Amino acid sequence: MPLPSYTLGVMEASAYAPEVFARGLPSSPRLRQQSEDTGEPINSVAGVASPLLSLQGIGLSFGGVVALADIDLSVLSGEIRAIIGPNGAGKSSLINVISGVYRPDRGHVRLDGISYAQVPTQRLAHLGVARTFQNLALFKGLSVLDNVASGLAYKVRSNFAGQVLGIGRSRGEQRDSRSRAEQILEFLDLSSVRDHLAGTLPYGLQKRVELARALVAEPRLLLLDEPMAGMTAGEKSEMAAFVRAARDRFATTVVLIEHDVGVVMGLSDRIAVLDYGRKIADATPDEVRNDQRVIDAYLGVASDNEDGAGI
Amino acid sequence: MTAISVDFASAPVLPKWLVPVLLLAVAYGVVPLIGSSYLFEAILLPFLALSLAGVGLNILTGYAGQVSLGSAAFMAAGAFAAYNFNLRVEGLPLIGSIFLAGIVAAAIGIVFGLPSLRLKGFYLAVSTLAAQFFVQWALTKFSWFSNNSASGVIDAPRLSISGFALDGAIGRYLFALTVVTVLTFLAHRLVSSQTGRNFIAIRDNETAARIIGIPVLKTKLLAFAISSFIIGVAGVIWAFAYLRTVEPDGFDLDRSFQILFIIIIGGLASIRGAFFGAALIVVFPLALSRLGVFLLGDLFDSGVLDMSQRIVLGALIILFLILEPDGLVALWDRVRRRLLFAWQST
């Protein structure tokens, strides 16, 4: 598997390592060890892809409630990885830790070879990470096109004066971001609503606009927090097809949370199952389907017990 | 809050620039010829100054979603800064004083915008009150700002641009009109630029804006700076072109509320809304006083006028918030669409 833009990773490492150290973590010797790793090429044994994202011993609790306990997770470049689990299992917390919205109490997030105690949210887009939200997080007062184009705002170099006067690089940037946004809208079959205010669209379309906004930056890692929640079966399979197409077209690694096990089984390369903040399984769909712990915790009793014998 | 683009699909499309250009043609070509001095002094000059202040506040509150109750402070900062630049810097042209006054107001705006990095909504509104009270206090306390005038009152300098005097009512009107036109045009360009879209993104969902890489802190402070610049220049127009003699007390909290009402009544996140709102706020008391005198005669003295103004204006604001949260602009667009539709179907 090709290693995507390794040089970028090194640049980010040099820019961010000092700040990570400056946080004065209790486990700083370990962290230093990891950060120094980035000075060398990422170990990529022939035939084995290196993980784009790995979580090491992530622990997070709110007050006395343990949301995540000692989670390890390793996501290979280019795979679609689902995270499933019952409500309250910690799935969204995990996405929030990966995207830096939450700072874990313990453990590190290793992105593209660089270890973070807390992923810098403000630089997430620069690191090649994009995400969607469980509850819609569109900009209601902007058109669909402007919402999607805002996914490129992190690249803008022109200042407001140049933009107001229409001089310097602002014109080129504006043209570029519009045309890329239009391409994505076409890719996700949203061109017909491009000038509508995002807030006026039906729910399913808003979910897709959010995917478009995340995709427009062509992220290497795409985090989808329940992209199909509240959709009809038809909309779900459509969305699943879009997610797969996005992976194939942009070589994006996808981490997604989803409740509909049927959709997840067909879509993902591997599935991690959480229950009460712990990872109880992490395997291919077939293995997960037959894992007794997963069946007990999430999938429910097997069909041969439909009559309720023994309950 | 979403009166940014309106669906005109059902109406015949007029070029967008047509209405502003026609209005400007009338404002420059017709009004100076037929207007009375009363029209300029009592209606058009305050209307222009308050409209511009409304445009400035709308960028901050309507577009970037940061509530401010310090508008009058930034007007005062602009007015007193322009006065001092004009007084103390030899040979500085009027435009230069105005521009520098805007910069001073912008700098003060950034300082008092710093709490916005932590505070939201009502809490931010309360913290902007600090600007209101601090600026007014400083201007009264330190007589240097008013060139040691005993009561803190400043008199506007003679207005002239490259030796061309603008001291008459018409001259001051044209001067104010030009400044307002230029800044409004730039504000319009701003809100449809990437920076303007970043403002709206932060207003609508700050977390999502941060995640996709919009520099939230920088953008908020930029909104404060630009907004305060425009409000500061509005303060210069208020002091130099409209009143000619101002004191710090003229820029009190009531003025800040007045500008906030202008954008709420006119329409949040709409450049046009500021003009609609200012027109209502300026014309409404005059119309009310005429109406009162007509109906009640001598019984309608200034005390009654003041009281009835407050009552009717308060009722209007409540009605607007309930019936038309998107303001006069939304109302106007609906009426216009209906008229055009009726005209089309005949």
Side-chain angles (χ1 to χ4, degrees), chain B residues 259-272:
Chain B
I259 296 162
L260 189 63
F261 294 158
I262 283 175
I263 66 169
I264 290 175
I265 292 175
L268 287 165
S270 159
I271 299 284
R272 284 180 303 161

Side-chain angles (χ1 to χ4, degrees), chain A residues 99 101 121-122 124-125 131 133 137 139-142 146 150-151 153-154 156 160 163-166 174 197 213, chain B residues 2 4-5 186 189-190 193-195 197-198 200-201 203-205 207-216 222 226:
Chain A
S99 58
V101 176
T121 310
Q122 191 77 259
L124 207 59
R131 69 165 287 180
F133 291 81
F139 308 129
K140 292 190 175 67
L142 288 177
D146 286 341
S150 70
Y154 75 98
V156 169
F160 80 95
Q163 291 166 15
V164 166
L165 302 173
Q174 168 96 351
L197 285 182
R213 185 179 68 187
Chain B
T2 52
I4 299 132
S5 73
L186 293 178
R189 295 269 310 175
L190 175 79
S193 75
Q194 182 60 49
T195 301
R197 291 195 289 272
N198 289 354
I200 295 172
R203 177 194 76 194
D204 285 353
N205 197 318
T207 308
R210 179 176 295 119
I211 293 273
I212 64 174
I214 291 172
V216 173
L222 185 64
I226 294 173

Side-chain angles (χ1 to χ4, degrees), chain A residues 235-258:
Chain A
E235 287 174 326
K236 278 182 183 174
S237 60
E238 204 180 27
M239 193 62 157
F242 281 130
V243 170
R244 201 179 293 116
R247 190 266 304 262
D248 295 344
R249 175 157 165 177
F250 303 112
T252 301
T253 308
V254 180
V255 173
L256 74 99
I257 292 174
E258 184 45 52

Side-chain angles (χ1 to χ4, degrees), chain B residues 22-247:
Chain B
L22 284 179
L23 281 175
L24 278 179
V26 172
Y28 273 105
V30 180
V31 173
L33 299 180
I34 60 166
S36 64
S37 146
Y38 176 79
L39 179 71
F40 294 121
E41 300 276 3
I43 297 178
L44 289 177
L45 282 168
F47 163 72
L48 285 169
L50 289 176
S51 298
L52 188 60
V55 168
L57 184 62
N58 228 338
I59 285 177
L60 183 67
T61 302
Y63 287 93
Q66 311 298 308
V67 186
S68 164
L69 288 176
S71 311
F74 303 127
M75 284 179 83
F80 279 80
Y83 169 77
N84 279 294
F85 279 122
N86 191 73
L87 182 77
R88 297 171 202 278
V89 183
E90 262 329 297
L92 186 67
L94 181 63
I95 294 295
S97 315
I98 294 176
F99 180 78
L100 289 174
I103 298 289
V104 168
I108 297 174
I110 289 175
V111 170
F112 285 98
L114 286 172
S116 75
L117 307 183
R118 286 275 170 177
L119 301 177
K120 287 194 175 69
F122 287 120
Y123 301 96
L124 177 63
V126 170
S127 84
T128 56
L129 279 177
Q132 179 61 49
F133 293 124
F134 176 79
V135 170
Q136 223 183 325
W137 169 80
L139 292 177
T140 315
K141 168 88 179 166
F142 302 106
S143 55
W144 181 85
F145 289 119
S146 48
N147 199 23
N148 302 318
S149 130
S151 50
V153 176
I154 56 169
D155 290 313
R158 295 180 51 84
L159 296 187
S160 70
I161 291 175
S162 1
F164 190 75
L166 297 167
D167 284 316
I170 294 180
R172 282 182 283 128
Y173 161 73
L174 289 175
F175 164 75
L177 180 64
T178 306
V179 173
V180 172
T181 304
V182 170
L183 281 182
T184 302
F185 176 71
L186 293 178
H188 168 74
R189 295 269 310 175
L190 175 79
V191 297
S192 50
S193 75
Q194 182 60 49
T195 301
R197 291 195 289 272
N198 289 354
F199 288 168
I200 295 172
I202 288 174
R203 177 194 76 194
D204 285 353
N205 197 318
E206 195 175 317
T207 308
R210 179 176 295 119
I211 293 273
I212 64 174
I214 291 172
V216 173
L217 307 184
K218 202 181 111 188
T219 306
K220 276 187 184 176
L221 291 183
L222 185 64
F224 267 96
I226 294 173
S227 162
S228 307
F229 180 94
I230 295 175
I231 296 174
V233 173
V236 183
I237 292 179
W238 183 264
F240 283 18
Y242 168 47
L243 286 179
R244 307 288 291 144
T245 300
V246 290
E247 54 184 334

Side-chain angles (χ1 to χ4, degrees), chain A residues 99-244:
Chain A
S99 58
V101 176
Y102 293 161
R103 179 195 174 102
D105 304 328
R106 281 175 300 283
H108 304 109
V109 179
R110 201 174 160 91
L111 251 178
D112 204 18
I114 308 151
S115 208
Y116 300 98
Q118 180 178 18
V119 178
T121 310
Q122 191 77 259
R123 307 233 344 126
L124 207 59
H126 293 271
L127 296 172
V129 181
R131 69 165 287 180
T132 64
F133 291 81
Q134 185 175 355
N135 305 312
L136 290 167
L138 287 176
F139 308 129
K140 292 190 175 67
L142 288 177
S143 72
V144 168
L145 183 70
D146 286 341
N147 261 283
V148 177
S150 70
L152 293 167
Y154 75 98
K155 281 188 174 172
V156 169
R157 291 274 169 277
S158 58
N159 61 18
F160 80 95
Q163 291 166 15
V164 166
L165 302 173
I167 53 172
R169 56 179 121 209
S170 66
R171 300 180 84 126
E173 281 179 351
Q174 168 96 351
R175 248 196 328 269
D176 183 50
S177 69
R178 281 185 81 91
S179 77
R180 284 181 63 183
E182 273 166 6
Q183 282 168 21
I184 293 287
L185 287 179
E186 201 168 318
F187 176 61
L188 294 180
D189 200 15
L190 287 165
S191 297
S192 58
V193 294
R194 65 190 282 266
D195 293 324
H196 287 59
L197 285 182
T200 64
L201 294 182
Y203 178 80
L205 279 184
Q206 292 199 34
K207 280 284 201 192
R208 214 192 297 168
V209 173
E210 223 188 318
L211 177 64
R213 185 179 68 187
L215 267 183
V216 72
E218 299 184 12
R220 284 181 302 153
L221 177 61
L222 180 61
L223 309 168
L224 303 175
D225 193 349
E226 303 210 14
M228 299 157 209
M231 287 186 166
T232 64
E235 287 174 326
K236 278 182 183 174
S237 60
E238 204 180 27
M239 193 62 157
F242 281 130
V243 170
R244 201 179 293 116

Side-chain angles (χ1 to χ4, degrees), chain B residues 284-309:
Chain B
F284 163 76
L286 301 174
L288 192 69
S289 111
R290 292 279 169 94
L291 186 73
V293 170
F294 176 75
L295 290 178
L296 301 172
D298 289 342
L299 283 173
F300 201 82
D301 59 21
S302 66
V304 180
L305 172 68
D306 195 48
M307 201 168 62
S308 54
Q309 259 184 37

